[in-house]
Amino acid sequence: MREITEKANEIRDVINYIKVFKNALAVIHIDDEIIGSPLLPSHIHDISLIHEAGIKVIIIPGARTQINSALEEQKISWQIKNGFRITSECAMPEIKTAAFDVANNIMNILAGEHLTAVIGNWVKARGKGIIDGTDFGCAGEIDKIKIEAIKQTLDNGFIPIFPCIGWNDLGKPYNISSAELAAQIAILLKAEKLFFILPNAKITKEEFSLPNEIALSQDGNIPAMNVEMLSKILKLNSNSISEKDSHKEKLLAIFALAKNACENGVARIHILNGNTEGILPCEIFSAIGSGTMIFNDGYGDFRPMRGEDIPSVLSLMNPFIKSGILLPRNFQMLKSQLYNYIVYNVDGGIHACAALKKYDDDQAEIYSVAVDESYGNMGVGPKMINFLLEKAKSLGAKSVFILTTQTADWFEKLGFVADEIDSIPKERKEIWSEERGSKVFRISF
């Protein structure tokens, strides 16, 4: 029965997110190592499914590995400095060919999915020139992106593909950063989502210095963080990269791009492990996803419960009721106490709830605390309790108590201390069950 319930919740998530992101724009950067992976056709298949679900898609593939191979074959030397390839102008035909070969490969796979893609020269670039005595040769900077032409392509139902090449006004080509291009396109087109599909894109404390307050998933990855937390991680790791640490260097560069995109209007940036099949639809069509999401503080909010939320809240509570953590509730009970409840809402889905009741003797009670298991490591529970504590203060409560049988440790960690059962209001004591034996924990203001 539990398996059916879990499947039903997954299906509800999918239906909800198809509705939420209908006609939204997703900009997808695919790292060059993933381009050469056997999983590329699977990722492109998932992109086609996303497109068919009504989400507009732009693809920006990386081509560093493919360009390396082309230059090695022609015995053309190069070096990488500050993330840019430095080589002479004679290398540009090989760079351009390799970049367009990658784009054409993706276009051909999409054609096999019965979708039409377009490779265009939508990017105006300028040469980086000479910086601190270093001539960056054919490396370029993004100067301008032809936004209206891209919008027209999207409106026609096509998928734009951007090779990592830009041209100046005289038609001279430059090699530009595909990751930076993806971030700039997402900003200028006000994309709802920006994806970076990278190899082994886990963000763990084994590889990175992380703030103590960061929430980790069960496998040690960061499931989600706001842009403020991302800034802390960038600061903590800014001077900790060795010459051999190219993977960490790549991720930190992506973090910097994600921070800039988030601060300039892109609602959500997702860093995904491209070595995992199906990672993209799992990230889009589920509330918690499978990678790391970076968001502005507008992601998820606490609000009063509404009548239409009750079925979702009951479904959320059901596992806790079955395990004996919560007392049974039904529709009428929740409806009669509607104004006591708050919910944590993400894209129209309810993923946590709790209630607050103020008594006449300046005590208040927090009860019916339930958090979606998927959000257990995201700090939603403590934030919800703090939200209700502040609300209790505003109502004039001098203290807040909770009654619990199995979650005493969790509440003690939040600052609640044990108290006597006789300390709670008389009307609450009258419905307390000696058989259940709930213990009292309290915070005083």
Side-chain angles (χ1 to χ4, degrees), residues 105-355:
N105 183 35
I106 291 176
M107 185 168 67
N108 290 335
I109 300 173
L110 284 169
E113 300 286 343
H114 308 292
L115 293 176
T116 302
V118 178
I119 302 170
N121 58 342
W122 298 296
V123 182
K124 182 180 174 183
R126 63 182 184 276
K128 283 185 69 66
I130 301 171
I131 301 174
D132 296 329
T134 300
D135 187 347
F136 278 79
C138 346
E141 295 275 11
I142 299 165
D143 193 21
K144 186 177 180 181
I145 297 173
K146 299 176 182 178
I147 297 301
E148 292 307 316
I150 300 166
K151 287 181 178 178
Q152 185 65 50
T153 302
L154 291 167
D155 290 341
N156 288 335
F158 303 143
I159 296 178
I161 302 175
F162 286 72
C164 53
I165 304 293
W167 290 262
N168 70 7
D169 288 333
L170 299 176
K172 181 179 179 179
Y174 289 100
N175 185 195
I176 57 177
S177 163
S178 57
E180 184 179 343
L181 178 58
Q184 286 300 309
I185 290 169
I187 291 168
L188 293 172
L189 283 169
K190 298 179 172 58
E192 283 78 7
K193 287 183 174 288
L194 168 60
F195 293 91
F196 292 100
I197 303 178
L198 308 168
N200 301 313
K202 276 192 170 185
I203 306 165
T204 65
K205 62 183 179 182
E206 284 73 30
E207 187 170 7
F208 293 92
S209 298
L210 301 178
N212 292 330
E213 65 271 28
I214 194 75
L216 301 177
S217 63
Q218 291 182 347
D219 64 353
N221 189 40
I222 301 175
M225 58 180 159
N226 61 18
V227 71
E228 181 182 353
M229 188 65 69
L230 177 62
S231 298
K232 290 182 180 180
I233 292 174
L234 281 166
K235 187 175 181 180
L236 284 171
N237 293 273
S238 60
N239 297 315
S240 63
I241 306 172
S242 68
E243 292 182 4
K244 297 180 180 179
D245 216 350
S246 60
H247 179 254
K248 184 175 181 179
E249 183 180 19
K250 178 186 287 187
L251 279 173
L252 287 172
I254 295 297
F255 291 172
L257 291 173
K259 178 178 179 291
N260 182 59
C262 206
E263 291 174 340
N264 284 280
V266 181
R268 300 177 200 177
I269 295 93
H270 304 260
I271 299 174
L272 307 183
N273 182 4
N275 293 339
T276 302
E277 188 171 5
I279 190 84
L280 193 55
C282 285
E283 186 74 9
I284 291 182
F285 296 124
S286 66
I288 191 61
S290 303
T292 295
M293 180 176 69
I294 298 154
F295 58 91
N296 284 313
D297 286 330
Y299 171 77
D301 64 305
F302 295 109
R303 62 165 174 78
M305 185 170 72
R306 303 167 185 158
E308 62 265 28
D309 298 327
I310 293 177
S312 296
V313 169
L314 286 170
S315 179
L316 177 66
M317 287 181 173
N318 194 46
F320 298 93
I321 293 170
K322 286 183 176 180
S323 65
I325 294 174
L326 293 182
L327 289 168
R329 264 87 176 176
N330 59 37
F331 188 93
Q332 290 303 322
M333 289 174 67
L334 292 190
K335 187 176 181 181
S336 67
Q337 300 174 26
L338 188 66
Y339 299 107
N340 289 354
Y341 278 83
I342 63 166
V343 296
Y344 183 67
N345 166 71
V346 179
D347 297 325
I350 305 303
H351 297 283
C353 68

